[in-house]
Amino acid sequence: MGFKKREVSEYETISKYDFQAIYSNLRRRANRMNAIPQPRKRQFIQRVGELSWHETEDGTTAWMLFPKKGGTKVIGALLDDLRSIYFRHGWYKTVIDPEQLSEEAEAAQSENWDRTPIVIVQVDVHDILYMETESENDDTEWSLMGVLEYGSPPKGNDFPVRWVRVSDPPPEVSVMLQGFQPSPVVGNIDSVRIDLLSKATSWSGNIREVTCHLTIDTEKEKYVVDIKERTKTIARKETEYTDEIVRFLRESLRTGEYLRIKDTYLKWDHASDVEYDEVELVMGQEKEWVHLSILKPLVHRYSFYPDSLQIPPTVSDLLKTTQSGDVLLKIDIDERLKNAGSKKYLRAQVKGVEDTSSLKNLEQERFGIFDVALLAECRQIVDLVSLKRYGVEVDVTGLAGLWIPPGIEEYSQFYDAITAEHESEDETELDEEENEDTFEEIVKAGPQLELARVDVEISSQRRKLDVVLQLFSVEEDFTEELVVFSTSSEIAKSQGIADTVLKSKIRSSLRAKRITEDEMDNILSRVCDRVEELGIPILEY
């Protein structure tokens, strides 16, 4: 376009740039394009909602209001301690406590809360979340946050949404939304917001904070959950089915509301308020134990590697298994998966079982660090092929240098193992003077403590060795007892305990205590003497 041929001779032609040719060709092309049917702009179903939020010292609290999929009914999610109102990809735990919902609903009706429009665009089966943002020139535009998924509120209710997840759209959806911007927000959500928040504010009832103790009635062959307020049992659940007891312990997460007895709500956290019993079985002249932490991964996460970590479906089936030795889970980093950007790049080698064991299926799985941490919480696991129960030990030497994310400390078995490994590495890199300086900086104000007694407790049932200190304060006349070191008793007896690991862990446990350096040396010396008295070697490297 824009060039016109000109013959120079019989055998030669050259092109000449010609404005008249440009104009002529543009007119001809415009006429041709005008005659071609233009593709219609892709239309999507859009649902309008709102984020009502305010900032606090701990983060941002927000009510997220939006219409349900396939309808116009608006539902609400209360999100607490957000880092930003703009959602990053990931899971978001929502508030389901009715008392907190009521308080925040009342606060949200004040003028101090900001409001940001949101739009949910339906693309095939996906809900795509857009939020209104401001551009550099203060114009309003829409930003795509990702695919929105959520746990519906309890049946018949508008709130609370039980959880929220925002994730990366599939490639085909991203292509379909290329260049798309939601339509301007039409309508007013004020009346809907006021109605929903008023319902939340009007809640009245009585909440009792409880804990759950899971055990087995071996005569009835049933699981038993004693619901306790402090030490008193106020309710009980019995069933022979594993799936039913797991669902019961996950009641609030599964239904979006606490267990209700008349006008009283029983509140417990499925992750932190469940105690798993170690049940004694008499097998003729022998004794065995079933540790119910075998169910812990399923209580924390209803579907936890179901093809590899299988649980007997009833108590009767569980009691038919026999106790065997220990299985060692050696955790390593799969560098190929890590370099490929996979979030689950850990692998497990299962040692101590036969090649035909169902537990060998764990070697085919990809794990994230929280998956491994949850697996390590099991004091026992079951092989459904041989019908044997194995104790669980974890080898984390292959995770040297791995960054430990916040929250791992809630999984004590894995956390103790990996922090001992990391502290052992740190001790070889830091000289003694730096260690002392670090310790002195973090001692907090409080009564000065001295050592009263050292106990080293070895539990045959738990297979754990615990170092217990009793400390006292002359100034304030009180005593305190705490566990400062814990490890596998079988590994300690067979392999010994590294001096650097033992001392580093004790120092770490006592960091928040006001203890002089001379007294700290006395504590470390007394602990080492007591451990060696039990025939457990202290290894110096």
Side-chain angles (χ1 to χ4, degrees):
M1 185 176 73
F3 289 88
K4 184 178 182 180
K5 293 181 179 180
R6 189 182 68 175
E7 294 184 2
V8 177
S9 65
E10 184 180 354
Y11 306 103
E12 184 180 3
T13 301
I14 63 174
S15 295
K16 176 185 176 183
Y17 195 66
D18 191 322
F19 283 106
Q20 184 62 37
I22 293 175
Y23 179 70
S24 175
N25 286 333
L26 282 174
R27 281 178 60 91
R28 187 165 54 252
R29 174 166 292 199
N31 291 333
R32 188 182 304 124
M33 294 293 291
N34 232 7
I36 297 175
Q38 297 298 312
R40 299 184 65 182
K41 216 172 186 181
R42 190 180 291 271
Q43 299 293 317
F44 300 107
I45 297 174
Q46 300 181 38
R47 310 197 302 276
V48 177
E50 176 186 272
L51 198 72
S52 185
W53 56 277
H54 80 130
E55 294 181 350
T56 66
E57 292 180 358
D58 300 322
T60 298
T61 299
W63 274 97
M64 185 179 185
L65 310 176
F66 57 94
K68 287 184 68 172
K69 193 170 188 174
T72 58
K73 181 180 179 181
V74 172
I75 56 178
L78 178 60
L79 301 112
D80 208 2
D81 299 338
L82 293 174
R83 294 182 181 180
S84 166
I85 64 167
Y86 300 109
F87 291 88
R88 297 182 179 180
H89 294 167
W91 290 90
Y92 292 85
K93 186 178 180 180
T94 59
V95 176
I96 64 170
D97 187 301
E99 196 166 31
Q100 186 176 350
L101 288 166
S102 176
E103 292 172 357
E104 296 295 355
E106 185 173 357
Q109 295 180 67
S110 72
E111 296 181 358
N112 297 328
W113 284 52
D114 295 296
R115 296 184 175 91
T116 300
I118 63 175
V119 167
I120 298 172
V121 178
Q122 188 173 327
V123 182
D124 292 337
V125 297
H126 303 285
D127 279 345
I128 310 300
L129 174 63
Y130 282 84
M131 293 187 67
E132 189 178 86
T133 56
E134 290 186 358
S135 62
E136 294 180 358
N137 56 4
D138 293 334
D139 291 336
T140 298
E141 59 183 33
W142 293 96
S143 294
L144 189 154
M145 297 291 112
V147 177
L148 174 69
E149 299 170 273
Y150 57 89
S152 297
K155 189 174 181 180
N157 291 349
D158 303 334
F159 63 92
V161 169
R162 292 176 288 119
W163 50 265
V164 170
R165 183 190 183 199
V166 179
S167 57
D168 200 26
E172 64 273 15
V173 173
S174 297
V175 171
M176 295 170 71
L177 291 172
Q178 192 71 33
F180 173 80
Q181 281 281 288
S183 305
V185 173
V186 178
N188 193 338
I189 199 173
D190 285 353
S191 60
V192 176
R193 180 197 335 110
I194 292 170
D195 180 58
L196 189 146
L197 296 180
S198 296
K199 289 179 183 177
T201 305
S202 63
W203 176 86
S204 62
N206 178 36
I207 296 177
R208 298 170 71 174
E209 295 192 4
V210 298
T211 58
C212 295
H213 179 266
L214 174 62
T215 188
I216 287 176
D217 185 323
T218 54
E219 292 184 2
K220 294 182 180 179
E221 293 192 344
K222 287 186 176 183
Y223 293 109
V224 177
V225 175
D226 286 323
I227 302 175
K228 296 186 175 185
E229 190 172 39
R230 297 184 180 88
T231 59
K232 181 182 179 183
T233 299
I234 60 174
R236 173 171 288 184
K237 168 71 175 179
E238 295 184 5
T239 180
E240 62 183 298
Y241 298 105
T242 302
D243 182 69
E244 186 177 344
I245 209 67
V246 169
R247 287 169 61 85
F248 177 78
L249 291 171
R250 292 172 54 84
E251 177 79 11
S252 60
L253 192 69
R254 184 172 58 84
T255 65
E257 55 188 355
Y258 299 142
L259 180 65
R260 184 174 179 178
I261 301 177
K262 296 183 179 179
D263 293 330
T264 299
Y265 296 80
L266 303 183
K267 173 185 177 181
W268 71 83
D269 187 317
H270 72 289
S272 59
D273 293 331
V274 179
E275 180 186 356
Y276 300 86
D277 196 12
E278 190 168 23
V279 182
E280 182 180 320
L281 305 179
V282 178
M283 316 291 287
Q285 299 297 319
E286 302 293 328
K287 289 184 180 180
E288 292 188 3
W289 289 270
V290 175
H291 205 297
L292 291 176
S293 58
I294 191 174
L295 301 183
K296 195 168 186 176
L298 296 183
V299 174
H300 280 238
R301 195 184 309 168
Y302 191 69
S303 179
F304 185 84
Y305 297 95
D307 296 332
S308 303
L309 193 69
Q310 299 172 340
I311 310 297
T314 67
V315 173
S316 176
D317 295 320
L318 178 58
L319 296 179
K320 288 176 183 175
T321 63
T322 57
Q323 187 170 322
S324 189
D326 286 349
V327 62
L328 179 68
L329 302 178
K330 189 176 186 307
I331 311 300
D332 293 296
I333 298 173
D334 188 324
E335 295 293 346
R336 182 182 60 83
L337 291 174
K338 185 178 180 182
N339 294 335
S342 173
K343 294 181 179 179
K344 294 181 181 287
Y345 53 80
L346 301 182
R347 297 281 196 181
Q349 296 180 48
V350 183
K351 299 183 178 181
V353 297
E354 298 177 358
D355 291 340
T356 56
S357 168
S358 63
L359 297 175
K360 279 289 185 179
N361 292 334
L362 290 168
E363 295 184 346
Q364 308 304 316
E365 303 286 2
R366 303 176 180 184
F367 297 99
I369 190 167
F370 283 96
D371 301 327
V372 173
L374 191 49
L375 184 59
E377 286 296 292
C378 297
R379 299 290 179 85
Q380 288 182 341
I381 51 179
V382 173
D383 174 14
L384 289 187
V385 173
S386 64
L387 297 181
K388 292 179 179 179
R389 299 186 312 278
Y390 293 92
V392 180
E393 294 292 341
V394 181
D395 180 353
V396 294
T397 54
L399 304 185
L402 184 68
W403 177 72
I404 307 303
I408 284 292
E409 61 274 8
E410 296 177 11
Y411 304 89
S412 59
Q413 305 301 311
F414 181 77
Y415 181 71
D416 288 347
I418 202 163
T419 50
E421 186 66 30
H422 279 57
E423 286 166 0
S424 178
E425 295 167 12
D426 293 343
E427 287 290 330
T428 61
E429 296 174 2
L430 298 174
D431 59 39
E432 191 171 329
E433 181 179 350
E434 288 175 327
N435 279 334
E436 290 178 0
D437 290 343
T438 302
F439 174 76
E440 292 296 337
E441 287 175 4
I442 58 179
V443 170
K444 297 179 180 179
Q448 186 166 304
L449 300 176
E450 297 179 21
L451 179 65
R453 191 179 73 248
V454 174
D455 288 326
V456 178
E457 300 175 352
I458 298 178
S459 169
S460 59
Q461 295 182 18
R462 295 172 52 239
R463 298 188 180 90
K464 300 295 287 186
L465 178 150
D466 296 325
V467 176
V468 183
L469 301 185
Q470 188 181 79
L471 304 173
F472 74 95
S473 167
V474 176
E475 303 170 6
E476 300 189 7
D477 190 26
F478 84 98
T479 61
E480 179 178 1
E481 192 171 279
L482 66 159
V483 177
V484 293
F485 180 80
S486 184
T487 188
S488 162
S489 57
E490 295 184 5
I491 291 178
K493 290 176 182 177
S494 61
Q495 301 178 16
I497 301 174
D499 176 76
T500 53
V501 173
L502 177 63
K503 291 181 178 179
S504 176
K505 182 63 177 176
I506 293 173
R507 281 182 175 272
S508 177
S509 298
L510 297 175
R511 280 183 177 179
K513 309 297 179 183
R514 189 178 164 208
I515 299 174
T516 66
E517 192 58 34
D518 287 343
E519 188 62 17
M520 180 63 70
D521 290 340
N522 176 45
I523 291 172
L524 297 177
S525 176
R526 290 272 300 277
V527 169
C528 290
D529 290 344
R530 186 72 185 96
V531 170
E532 289 184 321
E533 286 173 8
L534 296 173
I536 298 172
I538 303 293
L539 308 176
E540 296 185 4
Y541 296 100

